[in-house]
Amino acid sequence: MQAVSVTLVAVDSSVHRQAARLLVSEYLHWVAGIARSNYELSFDVDAMVHSDIEDTSKFYPPSGRFYLVEHAGGFVGVGCLKRLAPTICEVQRMYVQPHVRGVGAGRSLVERLLQDAATLGYNTVRLESLRALAAAHSLYRSVGFTEVEPYAENSMNAYQSPEALARYRESAVFMELSFQAKNRDAKPFAPADHATAGFASHRIR
C-alpha cells in the first residue's frame, strides 16, 4: 500500500472554517447526487453546510470535534464528531477526496474521532451512511462498528419531510460502536499499527 503523510487539523480559525466549508459542501453535493439518483431523495445542501460551519454547538469543542485532513500541503478531507446525548456521540461528514482514497487517510480520521470520543467520556459512537457507500461501511466495520436499527436522533431528521424520512431510513445503514462492549471483549480501542497500515506519519495539531 502506498504510504501517505496525514495531518489532522482542528477547525479553529477563519481559514480553517473556509476550507471546511468547501469540503463539507463538496461532500454533501456528492452525497446528494447519490441520494437523488439511487433513492429519489433530496435535501437542502446549503442549509446543512451553513449549520455545520456556523453552529458552534454542533461539531466544535467542548462536546464535539471538527477536523480537516491535510496532505501534501492541502486540505483533502473532513470529519466531525457530534454529541447526541451525555454518553452518545455520532461521527458525521466523513469525507476524503477521491485522489487520496485507499491510502489510509480515512482510517486515520475515524481512529482519531474514536479516540476523542473515548476521551470525552462517550460510551457509544453512532453513524449513518447511505447504503450505496459500501467502501465506507467496510472501514467502519474494521474499527468495530456494527449495524443497528435506525435511531431516532439521526442527523437527517431536520432535513427530510416526515414523508421522506421513512424512505431515507430504508436507504441508509445505521451503525454503532460501544466502548463498553469492546472492554468486555478485552479489546479496548487502540489505533491500528500505522506502519502496517501504510502511514508515513500521523500528527495532530
Side-chain angles (χ1 to χ4, degrees):
M1 180 183 290
Q2 178 183 354
V4 58
S5 176
V6 172
T7 304
L8 302 185
V9 181
V11 177
D12 60 4
S13 72
S14 59
V15 172
H16 295 155
R17 283 192 293 274
Q18 180 58 22
R21 187 187 303 275
L22 293 173
L23 282 162
V24 169
S25 178
E26 180 179 313
Y27 165 68
L28 288 174
H29 276 99
W30 173 61
V31 169
I34 295 171
R36 184 171 52 253
S37 60
N38 288 34
Y39 310 110
E40 298 182 352
L41 289 167
S42 62
F43 46 86
D44 190 337
V45 170
D46 291 339
M48 295 175 76
V49 172
H50 180 80
S51 172
D52 289 355
I53 303 302
E54 304 300 335
D55 183 353
T56 57
S57 68
K58 191 171 184 178
F59 297 142
Y60 297 95
S63 61
R65 292 292 184 268
F66 201 157
Y67 288 116
L68 290 164
V69 181
E70 186 177 26
H71 169 60
F75 294 121
V76 299
V78 66
C80 307
L81 197 68
K82 178 186 176 183
R83 180 187 186 274
L84 298 182
T87 61
I88 303 172
C89 63
E90 185 178 47
V91 170
Q92 290 193 19
R93 308 298 185 254
M94 277 282 298
Y95 176 67
V96 176
Q97 290 180 323
H99 70 284
V100 289
R101 290 177 191 164
V103 295
R107 179 174 294 275
S108 178
L109 181 54
V110 74
E111 287 180 350
R112 179 70 248 183
L113 292 172
L114 290 177
Q115 290 175 38
D116 287 346
T119 299
L120 291 169
Y122 295 116
N123 295 330
T124 302
V125 185
R126 292 174 173 171
L127 61 84
E128 56 192 280
S129 175
L130 291 176
R131 292 190 178 276
L133 304 180
H137 308 157
S138 296
L139 169 62
Y140 300 142
R141 290 188 180 96
S142 75
V143 296
F145 281 93
T146 58
E147 196 165 337
V148 295
E149 292 297 316
Y151 43 90
E153 67 276 22
N154 72 83
S155 68
M156 291 303 294
N157 278 353
Y159 303 103
Q160 294 292 320
S161 68
E163 297 77 17
L165 193 55
R167 191 163 73 252
Y168 167 73
R169 288 176 176 168
E170 291 175 356
S171 74
V173 172
F174 293 79
M175 306 184 85
E176 182 175 287
L177 181 151
S178 169
F179 293 123
Q180 293 175 328
K182 278 185 160 296
N183 288 337
R184 284 198 300 271
D185 295 337
K187 295 169 65 177
F189 175 77
D193 181 349
H194 290 174
T196 302
F199 288 92
S201 68
H202 176 199
R203 307 185 308 279
I204 307 299
R205 71 181 189 211

